[in-house]
Amino acid sequence: MAENLFIEKNLSLEEKYKTLETQLRVLLNKDENEISNLSNFTAALKETFDKISWVGFYIFDDKKLFLGPFQGKVACTSIEIGRGVCGAAAEKLETIIVPDVNSFNGHIACDTESKSEIVVPIIKDKKLWGVLDLDSTAYNSFNATDKIYLEIFCKFLSEKII
Ligand code: SME
């Protein structure tokens, strides 16, 4: 497939995710390099949703989370388990939605303009592989629909790509 996305601007959030999912399943595949796949995954999300200011992976190396492929401003290169939203999601193995980063105790402000965030843990072979982190410069940018589809995407990554 040509490396282009086709997502109509006027679709609903859910319709955009469904259209994106179909195209991701073609764009990404196990025959490609893992870093290439993960890089295109972050680019596809950022290209589809204007509300995303930063999207990327923090990957677990058995000690801490380190910065993986991402789109957005430069970011902190490592996060300890239990620290920040990423570390908390990695520790609890649960998706965390933060409507207002100022009200999350211990939030790590890589970008001072970030206002809300969602972090989805990625489990591979029953162990923590890392997390997917999305930031927005607006409050309340992420909801239950984002959670449902981002979890589906992360499951697809863990089962077919990483
Ligand atoms: N805000 C995150 C840190 C990573 S940056 O947002 C890219 C956190 O609190 O874990």
Side-chain angles (χ1 to χ4, degrees):
M1 165 179 155
E3 284 77 14
N4 285 313
L5 284 183
F6 300 98
I7 316 271
E8 282 181 43
K9 282 284 172 197
N10 58 354
L11 296 178
S12 71
L13 180 66
E14 184 157 26
E15 287 167 337
K16 279 189 180 172
Y17 270 116
K18 283 187 173 162
T19 310
L20 178 59
E21 183 183 357
T22 306
Q23 294 180 56
L24 281 176
R25 288 181 185 274
V26 180
L27 180 69
L28 311 182
N29 68 79
K30 196 76 184 166
D31 297 334
E32 304 287 351
N33 179 278
E34 184 174 304
I35 293 172
S36 311
N37 277 321
L38 297 178
S39 300
N40 262 344
F41 178 82
T42 62
L45 276 170
K46 188 135 188 332
E47 192 176 322
T48 302
F49 299 108
D50 292 339
K51 66 184 181 181
I52 297 173
S53 57
W54 195 95
V55 49
F57 296 97
Y58 279 94
I59 301 169
F60 187 49
D61 69 359
D62 287 326
K63 289 189 187 131
K64 60 183 185 323
L65 298 165
F66 69 91
L67 182 62
F70 72 96
Q71 294 273 313
K73 290 187 180 175
V74 294
C76 44
T77 51
S78 72
I79 297 176
E80 286 171 32
I81 298 298
R83 284 207 58 228
V85 188
C86 291
E91 187 171 58
K92 293 180 179 157
L93 300 178
E94 279 173 15
T95 298
I96 299 179
I97 296 176
V98 181
D100 175 357
V101 296
N102 300 306
S103 60
F104 188 93
N105 198 13
H107 170 259
I108 302 165
C110 286
D111 177 359
T112 51
E113 285 178 21
S114 176
K115 299 286 192 291
S116 59
E117 183 162 356
I118 182 169
V119 179
V120 182
I122 300 172
I123 314 297
K124 170 84 184 163
D125 298 331
K126 298 185 181 159
K127 289 190 304 194
L128 176 70
W129 176 88
V131 300
L132 174 68
D133 179 17
L134 283 77
D135 287 10
S136 172
T137 54
Y139 292 110
N140 301 303
S141 283
F142 304 105
N143 59 30
T145 301
D146 295 288
K147 177 177 184 291
I148 288 169
Y149 283 94
L150 292 171
E151 287 179 350
I152 290 171
F153 288 5
C154 287
K155 194 158 179 278
F156 162 65
L157 291 179
S158 73
E159 289 178 354
K160 304 276 187 207
I161 303 298
I162 56 179

